[in-house]
Amino acid sequence: MDFLKQARAMEPELVRNRRYLHQHAEVRMELPNTVKFVMERLAGMGYEPKALGGGVTAAVGKGGPVLLLRADMDALPMTEDSGLEYAAGNGACHSCGHDHHTAMLLGAAKLLKGYEKDLKGTVKFMFQPGEEVFHGAEAMISAGILENPAVDAAFGVHVLTGRKTGMVFYNDQGAQMASCDGFRVKIQGRSAHGAMPNEGVDPINIGAHLYFAFQELISREVRQSESCVMTVGRIEAGTAANIIPDSLVMEGTIRTMSKETRSFLLRRMREVAKAIAEAFRGSARFEMLSEVPPLVCDPELTREMIGYGAELGYPGYLPAGGAQVNSSEDFAMIAERVPSCFLFLSAAGPGSTAGVPMHNPKVRIGEEVLPFGAALLAQGAARWLEKRAGNGLA
C-alpha cells in the first residue's frame, strides 16, 4: 500500500474539493451546503453517509477495533480579503483551514475505501460543524458519534501556516492546547441621570472594577508557572453619554493548560463577580457560553501515529514534539473520552502567505499539504488497525 503515491495522484481532486468548500464557506452549526457536498462526495465513493449532530458520518471496514478520523468543516464569520479567485463572498471565511481538513478527510476516505477488504477493523469518519463556536463536537457526541460501533481511539489534524510542508508538531508529554471557557457576566445596576450618579447604581463602574479584578486573579492567585490567558472581548452598556445605564454585559474567554487551574479560576471568577457587584450595590449573574477542556493527547497513540507518518517517506517529514498553544480545540472533548492523537501540519508552499496569522481575513494556506494530510490520515488508520490485529495488510 502506498497511500502517499495515491494521494498525490488525486491531488487535483483534493484541490477542487478544498476550493469549492473555501468558496462556499459556512459558519457555526448550520452548514447545509457543506453537509450536502460532503455526503455527495462520500456517496460517490460507495459510502452510505449519515447526517449526525449537524455533521456527517460514515464508516469503512468491518468489526473491531474502531478508529475515528475527524475533520471540522465550519468557517469564521468574517469578510475574506485574501485576493484568491475562489475567495468566499458571503461574509464567511475559511481562515482557519477547516476547508483543508475536510478535503483531506475526504481524500483519506477515498484511499481507505480502496483498501476496505484488507482493513483489520473499522474506520469511522467524523465531519464536524461548529468547532469555532465549540459546540460541534459536543453535538455529535450527544448524537452518538462514539457509539454504534463504539470508538476505541481517535485521530485528527490541524493545518498551520508559516513553516515548510512536512513539519508535524505534536505533544506526548502534557496539554497540547488550552481549555476554552467562554463566559458572560450580566451586571444589574439602576439607571439614573449622568449628573446625579448617587441616585443610581452604575453598572459600568462595577464592570470596570470587575475587569481588572479578573486579570488580577491570574497575576496574584495562579502560580507563575501555569500558562493561562483571560480575554474580555465584549462589553456592552448604555445608549447615551449622559445616562447611567441600567445594566452591562461582559463576555470573554479563559484559557488554561490544566484542569485544576481551570476549575479554580472559574470558581474564583464567580465569587469575585458577586462580591464586587454587591460592594457597589448591584448584582451580577455569571453564565458559561462554552466549556472545552485542555487537549491532552494519549502519549502512546501519538508516538505511534508519528511513526506511521515516517513510513510514508514524505520528503522533508520532520516531527517536532513539545507543541503547546493557547488556542483551543473542541476535539479535546473526544480526547477526554477515548485515547486520541492530534497533530499540527505545517502548510506552506506556493500561494501561502508568510507572516499572516490564522483567523486573519488575508491569510492564504498552502495546498501542497493536502495529499500529505490525506495520506497521513489513511496511513495512521490502516496501520493502527493492523497493529491491533497482529498481522499485516495484504
Side-chain angles (χ1 to χ4, degrees), residues 55-101:
V56 179
T57 188
V60 63
K62 186 178 181 180
V66 180
L67 179 73
L68 180 75
L69 295 181
R70 176 269 198 173
D72 37 15
M73 306 186 293
D74 58 317
L76 285 155
M78 60 171 63
T79 300
E80 184 168 354
D81 188 26
S82 65
L84 294 169
E85 61 180 14
Y86 51 89
N90 60 354
C93 178
H94 268 299
S95 55
C96 197
H98 296 187
D99 51 337
H100 283 68
H101 306 162

Side-chain angles (χ1 to χ4, degrees), residues 58-255:
V60 63
K62 186 178 181 180
V66 180
L67 179 73
L68 180 75
L69 295 181
R70 176 269 198 173
D72 37 15
M73 306 186 293
D74 58 317
L76 285 155
M78 60 171 63
T79 300
E80 184 168 354
D81 188 26
S82 65
L84 294 169
E85 61 180 14
Y86 51 89
N90 60 354
C93 178
H94 268 299
S95 55
C96 197
H98 296 187
D99 51 337
H100 283 68
H101 306 162
T102 303
M104 288 189 295
L105 189 53
L106 284 172
K110 187 170 184 177
L111 292 170
L112 290 168
K113 192 65 173 175
Y115 281 89
E116 183 167 20
K117 63 181 175 58
D118 296 318
L119 293 176
K120 308 303 181 182
T122 301
V123 181
K124 198 171 184 179
F125 304 104
M126 176 182 180
F127 292 88
Q128 179 200 309
E131 191 281 325
E132 296 292 356
V133 292
F134 301 125
H135 293 309
E138 179 182 23
M140 292 194 75
I141 291 169
S142 296
I145 189 65
L146 298 180
E147 305 159 11
N148 302 316
V151 169
D152 298 301
F155 180 26
V157 298
H158 199 299
V159 294
L160 296 176
T161 59
R163 307 278 183 102
K164 184 179 178 181
T165 303
M167 293 193 71
V168 177
F169 302 90
Y170 67 95
N171 193 319
D172 60 352
Q173 301 295 324
Q176 183 168 324
M177 301 185 76
S179 64
C180 184
D181 291 286
F183 65 87
R184 175 188 293 134
V185 184
K186 293 184 176 180
I187 298 171
Q188 187 62 47
R190 187 172 66 247
S191 184
H193 196 295
M196 294 169 278
N198 57 296
E199 294 185 358
V201 174
D202 189 351
I204 295 179
N205 177 54
I206 296 171
H209 281 81
L210 189 56
Y211 174 85
F212 288 107
F214 279 173
Q215 299 294 341
E216 287 164 3
L217 290 176
I218 294 177
S219 66
R220 289 295 176 266
E221 297 193 20
V222 176
R223 290 195 306 270
Q224 286 70 45
S225 59
E226 289 285 335
S227 175
C228 53
V229 175
M230 184 180 301
T231 298
V232 174
R234 175 176 175 255
I235 296 178
E236 184 174 324
T239 57
N242 63 342
I243 300 172
I244 291 175
D246 197 53
S247 61
L248 175 145
V249 175
M250 175 187 295
E251 293 180 352
T253 58
I254 179 169
R255 301 173 192 262

Side-chain angles (χ1 to χ4, degrees), residues 188-379:
Q188 187 62 47
R190 187 172 66 247
S191 184
H193 196 295
M196 294 169 278
N198 57 296
E199 294 185 358
V201 174
D202 189 351
I204 295 179
N205 177 54
I206 296 171
H209 281 81
L210 189 56
Y211 174 85
F212 288 107
F214 279 173
Q215 299 294 341
E216 287 164 3
L217 290 176
I218 294 177
S219 66
R220 289 295 176 266
E221 297 193 20
V222 176
R223 290 195 306 270
Q224 286 70 45
S225 59
E226 289 285 335
S227 175
C228 53
V229 175
M230 184 180 301
T231 298
V232 174
R234 175 176 175 255
I235 296 178
E236 184 174 324
T239 57
N242 63 342
I243 300 172
I244 291 175
D246 197 53
S247 61
L248 175 145
V249 175
M250 175 187 295
E251 293 180 352
T253 58
I254 179 169
R255 301 173 192 262
T256 68
M257 290 294 178
S258 77
K259 294 180 179 180
E260 295 75 20
T261 301
R262 178 190 183 205
S263 177
F264 170 77
L265 282 173
L266 290 173
R267 174 175 60 81
R268 287 292 290 135
M269 288 170 70
R270 293 177 187 275
E271 293 171 351
V272 167
K274 182 176 184 294
I276 287 180
E278 290 178 351
F280 291 100
R281 299 179 297 127
S283 62
R285 187 167 79 246
F286 191 94
E287 303 174 358
M288 298 305 301
L289 301 177
S290 61
E291 298 176 82
V292 176
L295 174 59
V296 181
C297 296
D298 182 81
E300 182 179 348
L301 178 61
T302 298
R303 290 189 286 268
E304 189 176 343
M305 291 301 180
I306 289 296
Y308 297 150
E311 294 174 356
L312 288 173
Y314 188 88
Y317 180 71
L318 181 62
Q324 189 174 82
V325 295
N326 270 329
S327 54
S328 307
E329 192 16 286
D330 73 355
F331 183 77
M333 302 183 77
I334 302 290
E336 266 199 328
R337 291 163 170 83
V338 298
S340 298
C341 169
F342 195 74
L343 304 179
F344 297 129
L345 309 184
S346 185
S352 62
T353 46
V356 180
M358 309 289 270
H359 285 222
N360 185 299
K362 293 183 180 295
V363 73
R364 287 178 287 161
I365 302 169
E367 293 177 327
E368 68 177 22
V369 74
L370 294 173
F372 173 59
L376 182 65
L377 289 166
Q379 177 84 359

